[in-house]
Amino acid sequence: MSRSTITETPEAKELALVGKVELRIALTDSDSKLESILNTYLAPLLLKLASDHVSVRNKDTIQVIAVCQHINTRIKPPSVKLPVAALVRQYKDCHNTIVRHFDLLYIQQGIERLPVQERLDLLPALIHGLADNFEESPSHTASLFNVILKLLHHLVLPPRGSTEDVDLRLRLGLDERVLDAEFVASWLGKIILFTPSASGTKSCPGLSAGDCDFLKLYGKSDIWTLGGPGNTSSGMNLTETKVISAKFLSSGAFTEVERFLPALYASADSNSRLSDIGEDMLKRATPVVSLEDQNLLTKLFKVYLGTRGATGSLPARRSLQTKILALFSRSREATCFVAEILQIVKEALEPQSQSHDPVVSQHPGTAPKQGLDLAKLRAQIFAFTNWVARMGSQVSLSALAPTLVTDLRTYIEAQGWPRIHSESPGLNMGELSSRSYCYESIGLLAKACPRDLLVEPHLNLLRWLFSSLSADTSGIDISISIEQALSSMLSPFTENTDKDIENALTDLLLHNMSQKIGETGEDGNIIVRSTRYIAVRFANRCLPFHSVKARLLDVLAQTDGPRERGEVLEEGQRGLNPYWYRNLNPFGDSPASRSDASESSRYKMPNFVDLYLEFFVDQGTSATVRQRLGFGYSPAITFCRCVLLHEALSSKDKSPIIDAEWKRKIDAMMTNDETGRMEIKNYLKNMCSTADEHNYLSKFLHAALEGFIDPGLGDSDNCGTCLLEICSLGPDHVLDEMASQVSRLKGTIFANRHSSRMIASHTFGILASRGASSSADVESLLHQFSKKIEKWNDSVGSEVHEVHGSVLSTAYLLSRRKYLKNDYSFKGVDDLAFVRLILTILSTGRDKELLDAATLAIDQLCLFGTLTPDTVPAPYDFLSLADKLKVRAEGGDENSVLTLGHLAMQCHESNEVSTSALSRIIDSLYNLHEKRQPELQFAVGAALSCAAAGWQSKSLVGLQDVDSGATPRCALRSKTLNIVLERVLCDCKTTKPALRQGSVIWLLCIVQYCGHLAQVQSRLRQCQTAFKGFLADRESLNQETASRGLTLVYEKGDQDLKDDLIRDLVGSFTSTNVGLAGNVSSETQLFEPGALPTGDGSVTTYKDIMSLASEVGDSSLVYRFMSLASNNAIWSSRAAFGRFGLSNILSDSSVDGYLAQNPKLYPALFRYRFDPNTNVRSAMNDIWSALVKDPQSTINEYFDSILEDLLKNILGKEWRVRQASCAAIADLVQGRPVDKYEKHLSRIWALTFKVCDDIKDSVRQAAMALARVLTAVLTRSLEVGDSSRNTAGVMLKEVLPFLLSPSGLESSAQEIQAFSLKTLLQIIKSSNAKFLRPFIPDLVGRLLALLSSLEPQEINYLHLNADKYGMTAQQIDDVRLSSVRSSPMMEAIERCLDMLDDSSMKELQASMEQALRTTIGLPSRVGVSRVLVSLSTRHNFVFKPYADNTLRILRKQVLDRNDTISTSFATASGYVARLASNDEVLRLFDYCKKLYFDSGEDDRHRIVSAELVSAVAKYGADRFASLANDILPFVFVAKHDPNERTKELFNNTWTENVGGSRAVLLYLKEIVATASPHLESPRWSIKHTAAFAIAHAANAMGDEITNQDAEIIWPSLEKALSGKTWDGKELILEAFITFAKNSNLMVDNKQIGDRIQSIVLRESKRNNAQYRQHALVCLGDFVEICKGVEWYEVVYEITNPLILELLDDGNKMDVDSRTGGPSSKITSERTLANALRTLLKSIDPVLWEAPRLAVSLSQTFDLIGKALSRNDKVVKDAILDGETALFKKLATTEFDDGLDSILTGYSSTLFKIDDQAELSRAKAADAATTLGRWAPEKSQVHTRLASGVEFALTHERSSSVRQKLEACWKALGHQN
């Protein structure tokens, strides 16, 4: 084969191409040529790695790799650009792994070399196909994704909502590549979740090991860095990458669905920069995403719980879990994830441990915050549990509830149940809150799944909860939760039909009712809380009404009476009332009184016998029952009585309807209904036909007697009333048994309580009159009664009560005995004597109680025929008796009136004397009409009926309480009734008002009580006519009486009469002839003024009706309109109309045609339907119903006419018209589309608000009701949103401007203002952003202004007078600030801010600027600051463009005179600075500096400056850190301010933003530059601050100060010390000495050194006493610094005169300092001590020869000796310290004999133990030790020291001093 053939093969060509490329690369001699070659050949070269020919591929691989290695060497210079775009395209198109690998290598290396814009142009190409790339090679895709993340750092995102932002998705090509968009969004979300683990774990919260490997590029190092700017790692900053990823996600590149999960992750991040973006995204995405999507929920559960396995993901952080749970609590589908829910709850209930949270385990320092997160998480878990219980399906709940309840119980019991464990004396608030939530959740879960948990035979869970309630000691909040849990369980038991469960529940409730606080329960727990209330609730809700045990529980609830809690008593009372029981347990949707409800077995009444046995037999003996029932005894008797009577009436179908008046109706039937009483009597008789039933009734009466005579059983009168009622109707044999108990009534007959005596006396009369009663007992009692009555005139106090009871008992007994037996049969009883006594009492007595007793006794004797005209004993007669009673009746005594009637019953018509007496009595009754007391007139009517009809009068039905089979004795009547009726009918026509009223009432009584008699039946038509005459009467009582009379006439007449009555009524409405009530003229008044209002007045006369007809335009209306106002105005009477509705009278056919032709009538008629007068309103409604067959269509047809009429009349002259118009408009607009009245909307609101300020209260209320209707219509439209076809937008455009106008919020009427505000808040709460957004700028401004205007004026007064009330203005401002924060207006403002977009933000900015400049009052100005804070944090995207301008405006606002306002604006400035530009923040800092340094002596401006800087540092930390060089030097200077508040703020700012004291050196030059100009400030505070700052800086420069730094600070330090002394200058001097010590400047620069020396000497010569003491210390320190320099002479010259002066002043009086510093004596001592110490320091033995040293020591010791004579401890300690130091210096020289004598003389002063303190003695020993070591053994000083030490050792008792003396003794060469 030839060579040419070989080279032409494809394999050969490929090999040749690689070789040529290699050669070309090798021959390039410049970077530009190399770059050109690579642009052309690099991508094709790499593609050879994927050759189709195996042989070529093998060779190519080696050769290409070799070429690549060469290329790698050549492209190291960063100037060489690579063909990245071509490589990216090749990566996307080629699927060969090796090619992709090399492509990625060069992409990663080359992309960093491209200009930023070229890199960003590659972003679409990099993103495209990323999802497919991941499927093919995750590792390569990870590298590519990492490149994308790096590009995002350079991507400048357009403003949100802009056109560029909307087009970003299209520009990136994501609109067509949805999978790639979802992939990128998903992994950006995972970046947000990503947290590299420091513990070496492969996964992290929310991410699996695979996810983490992907983000870490599968093990590559330096991918991420968590450090700050100073970190040297080459990786991307993870925190910044997360923020940038979130911003990219929030752009238009992604849809809401795609960004939902990443937004959720970001919103839960602890980094506020990230969470703010996440919250904003989440808020926008949540409404779009379906939370019912099962795939989404599955993802969320996986993130929440993590995934199992070694490579699975960890559970999410708690903050994210809390967010996820909040979403679950809005999803019904989430309740179906049974296993996941169980795991969530189980993990949440585990004991708190850091190991359970991956964040805590990796970062232990976060544990406190995690504790708070855990509390929030648990709260949300329980909220989710409640959601599951309410919304879960039955299938899910059946699987969930049992396990969840078990886990919850276990959690509670683990904490300690029912008492918290003793080893944990108190749970923290989070655990207590969890315990509370557990109980509530148990209740809800049990309610949701009752069959599995609750309604079971053992009632395990219910018992557990009852035990918890009674014995849990966790606190009141926990008990409330337990009660809520138990309350949740009521409904399941309501549906229970299992008798065993019902019995078990009953036993449980009875047990809980019997438990007492402090006792030990059956489970061994101490009862700490009563469970009675909840037990009674269970009884009333869960047990049927016929359950006698349930009713026993209701009785037991009342056993403690007034000592019991009110709610327990109330619940018990409800359970004994069938009406309230039915209200508590409604039968479906039916009302409690419906018949179908009554048919329910649940509502069946209990059986009387069962009830009696349960209450009074099964509880034990009578005494035991009384003891157990206590105050519940009386309710038990009463309930049994009601049940018994209900049974009796029900047996004959006469049972009263069970409603709110059930018991009262039973009482009424018992008292007044003759048929009812007979039915009850027969029932009781039949009931006792068997021995058992007889026995039960008898025993019940005995029980009632026990309750009556025992005053300790509550309201005993109820028991007595029951006893009396049953005795009055009971069977004879039962009463005969009770008769033997009459003697037990004696105590009650003599009781102090009036009602008890009345009942006891009556009962005694009934029982004692029985033949079965013991004659001996009765006679004995009667004898006692007689004795007491005889002494009536001498009785006082309680004796009067005994006489009262004796009189009544005797009268009741004699009257009944006479009736039953026709004799008395009692030995020693003289009835005439008794009658004489009571007549004597009536004639001469003055005590009202005795007079009442005598009157009632006469009444009873007359009633039963015991006292007649013939039997009145001398010296009294019948007429005089009648006259006495007349006198009492004229005094208004109703009993006397009735007694007169009963007295007349015994007067015969045929007997002349009796006839005279009868006429006299009747005349007396007639004359009582002058008493304008309705109750008295009704008594007169009853008395007249008795006088006229005797026992035939129905008024006596309830008074015949004994029965002998015959009617009690009474005079016969034949004509009296006719005479009385005729006279009353005649008097009904009189014009005298009093007699008219009396007559109509008497007539009503006669018809009611005697209507069954022929005399009345024959005159019913006349009675009807008489009653008709009163229907239009001015007196409402007469109208009511007449109405009731007509009803009785109608009921008592026969059918013909009824027909005639209806015919007359109809005629009276439709005819102009004389009717039942007379004629009508043109001036006849038909209505009260205003009863029928028209536009200009009201219809009052017949003439007005004609005028109204003329106004409408049809004269025939006079006749057509007769149905509205007939000739007698009968329709306007509410009484008459209540009986006869106009709809029964009007003819449909006669009006339809007319109304169809006269539509003008509809508006007026519609308005009349809402007239404030009940009668007119009711009448017009009936007329409307009769005339208008189709109201809806009629109103729609005439809607505009009706509304126009109402709007015209709403401001009418008459209040009735205005009120009716308001109510009519409210009814008209409800339920109708807005477009029907859209054109009137503004007018409606305006007129409504005008009427809201009406002078009439009822009109104002009607207007407010109309306003509420309009508001409701508006808010409903707003809630509907877009579906309402722009209705909401239309209404808002009309309503909002009006509400914000002077007619609304700015109205002078407080009611209108308040309602406008309330309406506005509702609108804001309900509105859709689309509709409300245009109004937000104005709304926010107005609401902010209202914060102040609506603040109570009392606050301002209190603020101005705070001192009077022991408060400070700041305390009041704090309260005002708190109220602003919690104000509903602030909530509304926040709601408005949530709706902002870019366009509305621009308008809001103008509104906010206006508010900043114009608002006044603390609430408004603080509100403005809070709005700015919110804009800066939660709405920073839209607010950022306006931050600079806002920050400029805020500078002026921080100077507000009010500290609270100023601080609020300073805080707002800090938040706004987050978003402002660097230049603007720098201007703010410059302003703070100017404000500080130009403040003068006013501390306020300096405090404001501090607050501003502190706010920026705290709330805008990032901005502050980036500009630290510009502000921290100023902060350092200002933190030395003398004002404590200013100093604290600046100091905290400095401390939080620098690390360590050496940080001063970083800003030294700037600090000096800032402080130096102000060292000569005329303002002392500024000058001192600058000086202190320079001093602090000097102190902070360290032990070795470089000359460069020293030269920077030296001029300022020198300047700071210039001038006269001032408080604190000593600190500057001390810093000056420190500077001299730590720097070499003094040595290296002789001029500066001389200057330093002269300054030190100058300052030490100052005369200021306070300053001088410190200056001398500094002089001593400076002497020590200047080693090798002779200072003694100079120092001695300064200190000698000072020491002598101070020694001479020793006897001066001690004077306190004026500034609160040390006194003059203390200052003098310190100065003297410091002077001596400095003098000792100045002696330098090294520089001097012995003679001169001796002189200096002699001079010094001479001064010391004088100073020691003062015996000042401070001075002594200073001398000893100085001597010790001096002796150490002497020890470095040779001992000279010339010094021996000097030192010997001085050493004798060292051991004067009599006047030295322990510390001084110790210091003396140290000085002696130092001197002894230096002095030769044979010197005098050595000898003297030895003797002194020996002496001191002998007398020293302090062990520490002895140790020092022993050391000195050894130093002198001696042994112990």
Side-chain angles (χ1 to χ4, degrees), residues 177 238 432 484 506 508 538 871 897 991 1033 1154 1260 1512:
R177 299 178 179 272
L238 180 58
L432 284 177
Q484 289 179 355
T506 304
L508 175 61
F538 264 86
T871 59
V897 174
T991 58
D1033 198 276
Y1154 174 78
R1260 290 199 301 272
V1512 176

Side-chain angles (χ1 to χ4, degrees), residues 12 19-20 32 153 211 273 336 356 472 605 990 1080 1163 1395 1466 1531 1549 1650 1655 1687 1734 1819 1857:
K20 290 178 182 179
S32 60
H153 283 263
D211 295 337
R273 295 170 59 201
C336 300
H356 286 78
D472 195 302
M605 296 291 289
T990 186
V1080 175
M1395 302 179 191
V1531 173
T1549 303
D1650 294 342
I1655 290 174
W1687 279 96
T1734 301
K1819 289 184 176 183
V1857 176

Side-chain angles (χ1 to χ4, degrees), residues 283 1321 1324-1325 1332 1336 1339-1340 1343-1344 1380-1381 1383-1396 1404 1422-1435:
K283 181 171 61 179
L1321 297 181
I1324 292 171
K1325 183 178 180 181
L1332 190 64
I1336 287 177
L1339 274 175
V1340 172
L1343 289 173
L1344 287 172
V1380 170
R1381 289 171 178 166
S1383 168
M1385 283 189 284
M1386 284 306 301
E1387 294 181 12
I1389 291 172
E1390 290 288 351
R1391 165 75 173 154
C1392 289
L1393 298 182
D1394 289 341
M1395 302 179 191
L1396 285 173
L1404 177 63
V1422 169
V1424 172
S1425 70
R1426 288 187 59 79
V1427 170
L1428 292 176
V1429 170
S1430 182
L1431 287 172
S1432 303
T1433 53
R1434 300 176 59 233
H1435 314 283

Side-chain angles (χ1 to χ4, degrees), residues 493 499 501-511 513 532-559 568-577 581 584-585 601-607 610-611 613-615 618-619 628-629 632 635-636 639 643:
F493 282 101
K499 284 297 180 182
I501 294 177
E502 180 181 319
N503 294 335
L505 176 62
T506 304
D507 294 340
L508 175 61
L509 299 179
L510 286 170
H511 169 71
M513 285 298 294
R532 290 167 64 83
Y533 174 65
I534 198 69
V536 181
R537 285 198 68 195
F538 264 86
N540 290 345
R541 289 292 307 278
C542 304
L543 298 176
F545 191 72
H546 59 77
S547 170
V548 292
K549 289 187 180 294
R551 306 291 71 79
L552 175 62
L553 285 164
D554 292 315
V555 170
L556 293 175
Q558 305 175 61
T559 54
V568 180
L569 291 174
E570 182 179 358
E571 194 67 29
Q573 292 164 2
R574 286 181 174 182
L576 296 179
N577 187 311
Y581 179 86
L584 292 173
N585 301 275
S601 62
R602 183 175 182 79
Y603 301 144
K604 190 172 65 174
M605 296 291 289
N607 179 268
D610 295 338
L611 205 61
L613 291 174
E614 185 63 41
F615 284 4
D618 294 348
Q619 305 302 314
R628 184 181 183 191
L629 297 184
F639 183 66
V643 170

Side-chain angles (χ1 to χ4, degrees), residues 811-960:
Y812 276 118
L813 172 59
L814 294 180
S815 60
R816 271 68 178 171
R817 186 73 173 188
K818 179 70 175 178
Y819 166 62
L820 292 174
K821 304 295 183 182
N822 201 25
D823 61 17
Y824 301 110
S825 304
F826 298 117
K827 296 180 180 179
V829 176
D830 188 348
D831 60 323
L832 292 179
F834 171 71
V835 173
R836 190 179 291 109
L837 275 174
I838 60 176
L839 291 175
T840 302
I841 294 172
L842 186 64
S843 300
T844 61
R846 295 184 177 180
D847 188 284
K848 183 178 182 305
E849 191 167 11
L850 293 180
L851 290 173
D852 289 343
T855 302
L856 187 54
I858 293 170
D859 176 81
Q860 292 299 312
L861 293 173
C862 293
L863 190 61
F864 285 91
T866 305
L867 180 62
T868 64
D870 301 331
T871 59
V872 176
Y876 303 101
D877 58 58
F878 198 80
L879 292 178
S880 64
L881 173 59
D883 291 340
K884 289 292 183 182
L885 293 172
K886 176 186 174 183
V887 172
R888 295 208 70 208
E890 290 173 346
D893 184 59
E894 294 180 33
N895 287 331
S896 297
V897 174
L898 293 174
T899 303
L900 279 172
H902 298 162
L903 193 66
M905 290 170 60
Q906 304 302 325
C907 298
H908 295 279
E909 293 176 345
S910 58
N911 186 293
E912 185 177 348
V913 176
S914 295
T915 302
S916 175
L918 178 61
S919 300
R920 192 166 179 174
I921 291 173
I922 292 176
D923 288 341
S924 299
L925 293 173
Y926 281 142
N927 293 335
L928 291 176
H929 70 268
E930 296 178 356
K931 302 296 179 182
R932 300 297 293 269
Q933 301 174 19
E935 294 83 1
L936 187 68
Q937 298 308 321
F938 278 104
V940 172
L944 286 173
S945 70
C946 293
W951 275 100
Q952 292 181 326
S953 172
K954 298 297 183 180
S955 65
L956 302 178
V957 166
L959 299 182
Q960 188 172 350

